[in-house]
Amino acid sequence: MDAIVILLGLASFALAFLLGSIPWGLVVSKLLYRKDIRDVGSGNIGTTNAFRAMGKVGGSLVFLLDFGKGLASGFLASQLAGLTAGGDVVLHAYVCTAMAGCVWGHVFSPWLGFRGGKGIAVAIGCLFVTMGVIPSVIELALFAVVVLVSRYVSLGSILAALLCPFLAFYLYWGEWYCVTIVTAAALTIVWAHRSNIERLMAGTENRVGSKKS
């Protein structure tokens, strides 16, 4: 049984990584807008640059598709957990593994030379399965308040990512594998925003509504 649990856990990670690696920002920009999102703005394939490159419709579509990657990853992991007799401990481990796999697949997409987006939309989708509705709403509320007050999307994203480990400690106290891998995924998102952090510290980060420098 232990071997089966490990194999299915690895399958959870692999499936989530592959789902996360789909560069929807690039796919949507190429197929629907006949442009390469990497040639616009920051060159990032994620939601923020998708809004900049393709407007509200294209940006919203990319967000929904990336959000869907997170939901699908968590759902598949929960289904695999149901094939074992491990109960909630295995379920939690699988969905947390899927969260990390999906985020890492998105940030380090093998289809783009192991470069990708910054993981926020994907992580939000994952959170609804990994942590449930209330923690996910708390994350979204923090993001929204920070963005509304500061007008920095990146700051809202970074602070929301930093909240994840604390929620994991609360929800998975004693399940240290879950806490560790969620923390690793959250820190990966912060790392992906390293250029934004530099600009925030320098006072040169673009605010919502301002033109890209």
Side-chain angles (χ1 to χ4, degrees):
M1 178 59 70
D2 288 342
I4 293 175
V5 169
I6 292 172
L7 286 173
L8 290 177
L10 291 172
S12 297
F13 178 85
L15 288 170
F17 186 90
L18 286 173
L19 277 171
S21 72
I22 301 171
W24 284 122
L26 181 60
V27 172
V28 171
S29 69
K30 289 262 192 178
L31 291 182
L32 300 184
Y33 291 85
R34 298 293 187 268
K35 65 172 68 174
D36 190 327
I37 190 175
R38 296 171 296 181
D39 296 332
V40 180
S42 66
N44 193 269
I45 64 166
T47 299
T48 301
N49 202 44
F51 274 100
R52 184 179 297 120
M54 297 175 280
K56 293 180 180 179
V57 174
S60 297
L61 180 58
V62 171
F63 172 80
L64 290 173
L65 289 168
D66 283 345
F67 178 84
K69 293 192 299 190
L71 282 180
S73 297
F75 174 77
L76 288 173
S78 67
Q79 296 304 299
L80 289 174
L83 299 177
T84 74
D88 287 343
V89 172
V90 170
L91 173 62
H92 296 164
Y94 279 21
V95 295
C96 289
T97 296
M99 176 184 178
C102 196
V103 168
W104 291 337
H106 183 76
V107 175
F108 306 111
S109 175
W111 318 116
L112 302 176
F114 294 97
R115 298 177 64 184
K118 298 183 179 180
I120 287 297
V122 169
I124 293 171
C126 291
L127 283 177
F128 273 91
V129 180
T130 305
M131 295 186 180
V133 174
I134 293 177
S136 300
V137 170
I138 292 172
E139 286 275 357
L140 286 170
L142 173 63
F143 171 81
V145 169
V146 172
V147 173
L148 284 172
V149 172
S150 70
R151 294 198 294 132
Y152 289 125
V153 173
S154 58
L155 183 60
S157 301
I158 292 164
L159 292 179
L162 290 174
L163 178 61
C164 271
F166 295 97
L167 291 174
F169 268 106
Y170 175 76
L171 292 169
Y172 300 124
W173 182 260
E175 298 177 49
W176 301 118
Y177 170 78
C178 293
V179 173
T180 300
I181 199 163
V182 168
T183 299
L187 291 178
T188 300
I189 293 172
V190 175
W191 174 85
H193 284 82
R194 61 197 182 281
S195 60
N196 301 93
I197 294 172
E198 292 176 359
R199 289 194 295 271
L200 284 167
M201 294 178 68
T204 58
E205 178 71 326
N206 288 279
R207 296 176 185 266
V208 174
S210 66
K211 291 185 178 181
K212 178 81 177 170
S213 302

